[in-house]
Amino acid sequence: MKELPVDQGTRVTLHFALKFSDGEIIDSTFEKEPATLEIGDENLPENFEAYLMGMKAGERNSYEVPPERAFGQHNPNNVQTFKRSEFSADMVLEKGVMISFADARQSELPGMVSRVEGDQVEVDFNHPLAGRTLTFEVEIIDVEPVGAAH
C-alpha cells in the first residue's frame, strides 16, 4: 500500500505540540495518546491543517507559525471597557480573570480582565495567544482515507 499523504478526505493520527517560541509548551500529545482527526473537521484550525498537507506517516516536522497564521494579531478594538455595575456584585473582577460573555448569536465569547480601575473594568476579548509566534511540532503516525474500515 503506497504511503498516503495528508490531504482533504484523510484521517490522520498524529502527535503534535504547540509551544511558545521560548519552548514553553502550550499543548502537547507527545507524552499521551496520539490525536486522530479528519482533515476539514475543524478539530485543528485550518491554518494549522495547512502545515500537515502532503506529510506522510513517519514524518516529523516543526513549523514556526506567525500570529497571522495562528490566532491573529492583538486587536486593540477587542479591548472593551464596562462599568463595575454591569457585572454581578459577587463576581471577582481582577486582572487575569476569565469571563464568558454571550455574543449576539448566543455563542460564548471569552474575555480576560486586563485592568480594573475604580468603576471601570477593562476586558480583552483577543485570543490569549493572539500576537504570539508559535512553534507547531508534528509527527504523523498514520494517514488513511476517511471511511476506511478500522
Side-chain angles (χ1 to χ4, degrees), residues 49-84:
E49 282 187 350
Y51 287 102
L52 305 179
M53 293 301 180
M55 287 183 77
K56 297 182 171 139
E59 288 184 9
R60 185 171 179 155
N61 216 329
S62 187
Y63 303 98
E64 190 166 284
V65 186
E68 49 280 3
R69 295 209 53 187
F71 297 98
Q73 291 290 2
H74 191 273
N75 181 349
N77 297 337
N78 291 343
V79 179
Q80 294 174 19
T81 304
F82 299 89
K83 286 193 169 19
R84 177 69 180 92

Side-chain angles (χ1 to χ4, degrees), residues 95-108:
K95 189 175 161 64
V97 172
M98 287 294 288
I99 303 176
S100 236
F101 294 82
D103 67 11
R105 295 188 309 280
Q106 291 306 302
S107 51
E108 229 173 70

Side-chain angles (χ1 to χ4, degrees), residues 18 20 26 67 70-72 126-134:
L18 202 52
F20 289 123
I26 302 160
F71 297 98
N126 284 290
H127 189 284
L129 299 175
R132 303 290 299 257
T133 294
L134 305 174

Side-chain angles (χ1 to χ4, degrees), residues 25-124:
I25 294 174
I26 302 160
D27 191 10
S28 171
T29 63
F30 281 100
E31 297 72 43
K32 306 186 285 232
E33 287 295 300
T36 299
L37 53 99
E38 286 178 18
I39 296 298
D41 70 0
E42 295 184 357
N43 259 328
L44 260 188
E46 199 180 322
N47 288 340
F48 287 99
E49 282 187 350
Y51 287 102
L52 305 179
M53 293 301 180
M55 287 183 77
K56 297 182 171 139
E59 288 184 9
R60 185 171 179 155
N61 216 329
S62 187
Y63 303 98
E64 190 166 284
V65 186
E68 49 280 3
R69 295 209 53 187
F71 297 98
Q73 291 290 2
H74 191 273
N75 181 349
N77 297 337
N78 291 343
V79 179
Q80 294 174 19
T81 304
F82 299 89
K83 286 193 169 19
R84 177 69 180 92
S85 56
E86 293 178 58
F87 300 93
S88 63
D90 57 358
M91 194 164 188
V92 176
L93 293 172
E94 56 190 35
K95 189 175 161 64
V97 172
M98 287 294 288
I99 303 176
S100 236
F101 294 82
D103 67 11
R105 295 188 309 280
Q106 291 306 302
S107 51
E108 229 173 70
L109 189 65
M112 185 181 282
V113 176
S114 51
R115 200 165 57 92
V116 180
E117 211 167 276
D119 189 35
Q120 306 282 299
V121 180
E122 197 178 76
V123 181
D124 186 345

Side-chain angles (χ1 to χ4, degrees), residues 123-143:
V123 181
D124 186 345
F125 291 100
N126 284 290
H127 189 284
L129 299 175
R132 303 290 299 257
T133 294
L134 305 174
T135 301
F136 182 46
E137 205 174 298
V138 194
E139 181 179 8
I140 306 290
I141 296 165
D142 192 28
V143 182

